[in-house]
Amino acid sequence: MNQTQQILFDEPGPRARRRIRIATVIGAVALVGALIAAVQQFASHGELAWSRWEPFTTWPIWRYLLNGLWATLKAAAATAVLSGAFGLLLALGRLSPNRPLRWLAGAYVEIFRTVPALLLIYVTLFALPAYGLNFPLFWKLVVPLVVSNAAAFAEIFRAGIQALDRGQTEAGLAVGLRRSQVMRLVVLPQALLQLAPSLVSQLVGLLKDTSLGFVVSYTELLYSGQVLSTYTQLLIQTFLVVSLIYLAVNASLSKFARVLQARNGRLTGRGRVAAGPDAPTPATSAPSTSATSTSTASSPDPTSPSTSPDPTSPSSTEGSTAR
Amino acid sequence: MSILHNNLTRRRSLALAAGALAVALGATACGGDSTSAPALPGKPAAGGDSVQAVIDAAPVATDAEIPAGSTMEAIRKRGELIIGGSLDAPLLAQQNPVSGQIEGFDADLAKLLAKYIIGKPEVKTVTIGTQTREAILQAKSVDAVFQTYTITPQRATQVAFAGPYLTSGLAVAVRKDETSIKSAKDLNGKTVIVGANTPAVTALPQVAPDAKQVAFATDPQAIQALLQNRGDAYVQDLTLLASGAKSNPGMKVVGEPFTSEPYGIGINREDAQFKEFVNNWLKKIQADGTWAKVWKATLGSVVEGDAPTPPVIGSVEGS
Amino acid sequence: MDALTAHLSVLGHGLVTTVQLTVVTTIGAMLLGIVVATLRISPVPLLRTIGTLYVEVLQNLPLLALLVLFVFALPQIGIQFPLFTSAAIVIAAYQGAYLAEAIRAGINTVGKGQAEAARAIGLTFSQSLRYVILPQGLRAVIQPIGNICIALLMNTSLAAAVGVVELTQAANNVNLVEAQPILIFTGAGLAYMLLALIIGQFTGLLERRLAIVR
């Protein structure tokens, strides 16, 4: 908890501590009670019957689900690499001095940030085959996700680049580097380092986006769960198991993002100690996607000077290091 | 610590993590052979061994029937039949997660056709959405479509149909204690659950224009929705409903099927030779009882009685 | 164009559903976000844990899985809502988690002097949050909140998975009949862009009026 948060309440004295303890115990008991009641209700519908859960103790079912997970990871990796690269190009385009290029890149980003990924998948699925563009299954999912996520990545990169101290660019130019060299040798390496947590968050969102595979019948994890549920007729159990797998994978990715965030803070040495390793910044709390949305959501904004002053640090020259 | 050092350590740990993940996944993906299928509650048998016996005994085309330069010859040379189908249609084309094979009436017919042409039941299924079947057949991305593809004159202008190979119909299912709905006509003004992208979506307004439709993606979801009172009735293909009613005592099928859905095998419109070939094959397996045996092993496992008489080839407008 | 005009009622209905869903879930998500953000910084450890768990679980699960579980599994525990309400609750809860994080970030930007001053004049925890910290904190993160709202708009398209006919599903249904995907889906896309534009403009307006210049 950062200093602002810690100041909001006094260190609890003995009476307050007692009160807190009582409240905690009561609260915990109430919660556990509610949980037990829920589980009992669940069981009364026969959902906890061993016969319903037994298939999930067998290896073939797990192998099927893990194959689905592998397919998810493949799709996510392909999407991440392609949309990341494309997004970077778009961001550079938006920042270039060339007006038509800026306009084109800007138009692309504005359009594809505000169209749901699901709609793009429908277009790829229904509209394109009529024009002869019938992609293999994998690409039917990946192409629309790339188109969508590239816009999100573009915004993240642009914000990160713009958030970097202007002094770096000026110094680079002063030393005699060309604009492109400044970008390549000075700005990007630093910006990318700063953005690593945001990028990983976007990756989590992207992974969840792949759950749209069921629309194109690509057997990623969620669709595999769907096929499994029609095979076993066990809707609830299957989805619970699938959700747990997603939770495990995404939670580890998010943890990785937080680790990166913490290391960034230590690495740059600047940034407010107050923020602490656990504090979110609008940059990393990008809800981007969740399963579809792409619209970047909050990621780039707090750090983009073009919209509002950087809220995460008192002085705007500090860039997005307040973590 | 220099920035460079930190960079390297981070990159190294990243690589290590990625490597570990890859190894773990590789191990899980490659390892383990299939044990026997787990006992699954309420799941109707999809044939398995008996279908295998039928396929083993199935006819194979003679060389005379496969002229040079025809689609059949191309398929034979390729060594596998590529079809458009589904993975999650119980009794018709359902992927078995244990074996990875697709089981069901549609899937088995495709295997029989493949055996007829190639000599082995080698089938590659490409999952396609119901809205793209015409476009995919026109583009020749698949050889045929086996996906309970209803023959309509409108579709016949874009694709060719071999068959019909099965006639089914849409029926109504309600909760066990429902008494007011006895047939499709009683559905006016009610909330009706349908499967998304199924024929029910367009057929229901014709018989009950005031019914409110609620669509769900899969059959189990729709059944759950019915049992949870999210709709008054569920309209779906009769055999699927029968299968559902067998595993879920809380629902029952009422009335007779109110539509007649002739299912055909989708084929590229220009390929009259292939269509004739497939029709001849259909006639053959109908005559020698293979069709009936496959029916009994799949759809017949939830419906009482013997296999129905197969529909007459070419009897439906558009086929 | 005929394809669109002939089915204007279906598409219009879908659009209305999308707007309704967006408005309802935005309000819900904002409320939830503030509550959860408060939970995460409260003095009671149990509340902090609940807040953290909420955010962790909801941010790491796909919205589709949440929708299916809420609509089909929850009734087995005895809790069942109509489909629209269910979709609204789930999407609000989901985006609420992201909003909570954004609001917490906003709270972090408020200088520690503000908190000290609030305590100095005798305000309690909830009072200082309500009168001093949150008003400033929220104003600092208007843009990220606006972006989360746009993400919310995009996510309403998933409500179709549980039977709610919103704009994307309506477009899909019309396409089933008309088979003119480019026209219909472009139309739907334009509608989404328009809605997102409105949200963006509104956010910009709020920002100009309220943003704190540091």
Side-chain angles (χ1 to χ4, degrees):
Chain A
M1 257 206 282
N2 77 348
Q3 288 190 338
T4 308
Q5 295 169 1
Q6 281 166 337
I7 290 169
L8 284 173
F9 49 89
D10 289 331
E11 194 61 47
R15 210 185 290 173
R17 272 203 301 269
R18 202 184 323 141
R19 254 183 280 156
I20 289 181
R21 224 176 305 152
I22 294 178
T24 306
V25 168
I26 295 181
V29 167
L31 262 181
V32 170
L35 217 62
I36 293 182
V39 170
Q40 266 183 334
Q41 266 275 44
F42 206 54
S44 72
H45 282 265
E47 299 292 349
L48 285 181
W50 176 239
S51 61
R52 293 200 182 215
W53 290 94
E54 200 230 323
F56 295 101
T57 57
T58 60
W59 167 238
I61 301 285
W62 273 101
R63 184 183 53 196
Y64 187 67
L65 286 177
L66 287 175
N67 278 334
L69 179 62
W70 180 232
T72 293
L73 292 174
K74 271 197 296 203
T79 310
V81 167
L82 289 173
S83 56
F86 190 24
L88 187 58
L89 287 175
L90 281 170
L92 293 176
R94 272 193 101 164
L95 295 171
S96 99
N98 185 349
R99 175 111 50 103
L101 187 60
R102 231 183 13 237
W103 191 86
L104 261 173
Y108 180 97
V109 170
E110 286 309 311
I111 292 178
F112 288 106
R113 256 177 38 144
T114 53
V115 174
L118 186 58
L119 203 61
L120 291 173
I121 291 183
Y122 279 145
V123 168
T124 315
L125 198 56
F126 300 140
L128 295 187
Y131 293 87
L133 275 173
N134 191 27
F135 303 124
L137 201 59
F138 181 75
W139 296 105
K140 275 204 183 116
L141 176 65
V142 171
V143 167
L145 286 186
V146 166
V147 166
S148 192
N149 278 290
F153 274 114
E155 283 298 273
I156 297 179
F157 286 131
R158 184 169 76 96
I161 292 174
Q162 282 179 326
L164 197 64
D165 194 348
R166 276 205 63 193
Q168 298 288 316
T169 320
E170 288 171 355
L173 289 170
V175 166
L177 299 171
R178 289 195 304 273
R179 285 202 73 90
S180 60
Q181 284 176 320
V182 168
M183 188 58 75
R184 187 166 54 90
L185 299 168
V186 177
V187 176
L188 275 184
Q190 294 186 63
L192 287 179
L193 208 65
Q194 303 278 7
L195 286 175
S198 298
L199 292 177
V200 177
S201 292
Q202 181 70 11
L203 190 65
V204 170
L206 202 150
L207 203 114
K208 291 190 289 182
D209 267 356
T210 60
S211 65
L212 285 174
F214 80 96
V215 178
V216 303
S217 305
Y218 173 65
T219 45
E220 42 71 46
L221 184 57
L222 198 72
Y223 186 58
S224 296
Q226 201 170 297
V227 172
L228 188 61
S229 73
T230 48
Y231 178 76
T232 60
Q233 298 285 316
L234 297 172
L235 182 64
I236 295 171
Q237 286 75 6
T238 312
F239 270 87
L240 276 174
V241 172
V242 165
S243 300
L244 282 173
I245 299 178
Y246 268 115
L247 195 57
V249 174
N250 284 335
S252 21
L253 269 178
S254 302
K255 183 98 191 10
F256 182 54
R258 272 201 297 278
V259 164
L260 280 182
Q261 205 177 323
R263 292 182 96 186
N264 254 359
R266 285 205 312 277
L267 190 67
T268 56
R270 298 179 289 164
R272 298 156 18 136
V273 168
D278 204 34
T281 59
T284 41
S285 57
S288 44
T289 68
S290 53
T292 59
S293 67
T294 49
S295 48
T296 66
S298 61
S299 37
D301 291 49
T303 56
S304 99
S306 60
T307 45
S308 62
D310 186 348
T312 55
S313 58
S315 69
S316 53
T317 53
E318 270 208 300
S320 52
T321 53
R323 299 194 198 287
Chain B
M1 281 291 144
S2 75
I3 292 184
L4 196 61
H5 178 94
N6 273 341
N7 259 342
L8 282 179
T9 3
R10 183 176 309 148
R11 237 176 272 156
R12 219 181 298 148
S13 40
L14 258 173
L16 211 62
L21 185 66
V23 167
L25 283 172
T28 52
C30 306
D33 20 312
S34 62
T35 55
S36 61
L40 296 161
K43 183 196 130 28
D49 294 330
S50 53
V51 173
Q52 192 52 44
V54 173
I55 295 178
D56 290 338
V60 182
T62 58
D63 286 339
E65 291 168 314
I66 303 191
S70 63
T71 316
M72 297 77 79
E73 200 206 4
I75 297 174
R76 189 186 254 189
K77 277 217 190 90
R78 197 194 300 135
E80 66 177 359
L81 177 70
I82 302 181
I83 64 158
S86 311
L87 289 181
D88 55 357
L91 298 177
L92 292 157
Q94 168 72 47
Q95 186 173 40
N96 182 332
V98 175
S99 63
Q101 291 298 310
I102 307 180
E103 303 164 347
F105 190 69
D106 276 347
D108 291 334
L109 277 188
K111 285 190 202 139
L112 287 172
L113 180 60
K115 176 151 189 221
Y116 190 65
I117 299 176
I118 308 169
K120 287 178 303 196
E122 294 292 325
V123 176
K124 177 167 161 204
T125 303
V126 174
T127 41
I128 58 180
T130 49
Q131 293 185 33
T132 50
R133 293 186 283 210
E134 289 83 32
I136 289 183
L137 277 171
Q138 280 166 345
K140 292 198 172 177
S141 312
V142 300
D143 299 318
V145 170
F146 280 85
Q147 205 185 39
T148 53
Y149 201 2
T150 312
I151 303 174
T152 66
Q154 194 190 18
R155 284 181 180 155
T157 58
Q158 293 179 296
V159 302
F161 286 102
Y165 66 89
L166 181 69
T167 316
S168 190
L170 294 173
V172 181
V174 295
R175 282 180 295 280
K176 204 52 160 265
D177 49 12
E178 177 77 52
T179 46
S180 57
I181 299 178
K182 300 245 182 0
S183 74
K185 285 186 277 293
D186 300 330
L187 292 176
N188 258 321
K190 306 265 193 232
T191 309
V192 179
I193 300 168
V194 296
N197 296 329
T198 58
V201 175
T202 36
L204 187 63
Q206 287 171 3
V207 63
D210 291 327
K212 179 171 173 313
Q213 282 186 20
V214 180
F216 289 98
T218 62
D219 189 52
Q221 284 180 8
I223 294 180
Q224 250 324 11
L226 178 69
L227 294 173
Q228 286 170 358
N229 251 300
R230 297 198 187 272
D232 303 307
Y234 175 32
V235 169
Q236 179 58 282
D237 187 275
L238 178 62
T239 358
L240 278 172
L241 286 180
S243 157
K246 216 175 182 207
S247 358
N248 292 286
M251 67 184 254
K252 63 180 180 190
V253 181
V254 294
E256 292 299 312
F258 63 93
T259 66
S260 173
E261 306 277 327
Y263 297 136
I265 303 172
I267 291 175
N268 182 284
R269 193 152 189 272
E270 320 294 316
D271 208 336
Q273 187 188 38
F274 191 42
K275 173 177 166 177
E276 196 189 323
F277 177 84
V278 175
N279 275 335
N280 287 338
W281 163 75
L282 270 175
K283 286 187 194 129
K284 209 177 267 193
I285 60 168
Q286 284 174 359
D288 68 5
T290 312
W291 186 97
K293 289 202 195 104
V294 175
W295 190 95
K296 198 86 189 93
T298 55
L299 299 168
S301 61
V302 294
V303 177
E304 311 289 325
D306 294 321
T309 20
V312 177
I313 312 288
S315 58
V316 174
E317 187 190 343
S319 67
Chain C
M1 282 305 289
D2 291 333
L4 283 178
T5 46
H7 299 270
L8 220 48
S9 70
V10 173
L11 290 170
H13 200 76
L15 182 61
V16 166
T17 308
T18 295
V19 171
Q20 280 175 331
L21 208 49
T22 310
V23 169
V24 169
T25 43
T26 306
I27 298 173
M30 276 302 300
L31 289 172
L32 262 174
I34 294 178
V35 166
V36 174
T38 312
L39 281 181
R40 286 198 81 172
I41 61 176
S42 87
V44 181
L46 178 68
L47 294 179
R48 279 205 300 271
T49 321
I50 295 177
T52 312
L53 265 178
Y54 178 93
V55 170
E56 277 304 300
V57 169
L58 284 176
Q59 275 190 342
N60 289 323
L61 281 178
L63 186 55
L64 270 174
L66 284 169
L67 278 168
V68 170
L69 282 176
F70 192 88
V71 169
F72 294 111
L74 230 50
Q76 304 299 84
I77 308 187
I79 309 173
Q80 179 166 328
F81 296 103
L83 288 173
F84 182 87
T85 318
S86 306
I89 293 176
V90 175
I91 298 179
Y94 182 76
Q95 296 289 162
Y98 288 101
L99 269 177
E101 287 298 273
I103 293 173
R104 193 161 79 96
I107 292 178
N108 278 347
T109 69
V110 175
K112 116 181 155 168
Q114 295 290 310
E116 285 176 346
R119 296 292 297 155
I121 60 174
L123 297 177
T124 65
F125 174 70
S126 43
Q127 280 171 335
S128 16
L129 266 186
R130 197 166 128 213
Y131 294 112
V132 178
I133 307 291
L134 273 181
Q136 297 184 65
L138 282 176
R139 282 157 66 186
V141 286
I142 293 180
Q143 189 66 358
I145 291 182
N147 278 338
I148 296 178
C149 289
I150 294 185
L152 200 150
L153 173 67
M154 302 293 111
N155 282 338
T156 57
S157 62
L158 287 181
V162 288
V164 177
V165 181
E166 42 64 60
L167 185 56
T168 309
Q169 183 64 8
N172 207 16
N173 288 345
V174 170
N175 188 41
L176 249 171
V177 175
E178 289 289 337
Q180 291 214 36
I182 292 277
L183 178 64
I184 296 170
F185 288 124
T186 312
L190 284 172
Y192 275 110
M193 280 194 265
L194 185 65
L195 287 174
L197 195 69
I198 295 175
I199 296 179
Q201 291 294 81
F202 189 58
T203 311
L205 185 74
L206 271 181
E207 230 193 317
R208 273 193 294 279
R209 293 283 212 80
L210 299 175
I212 304 175
V213 179
R214 287 226 167 82

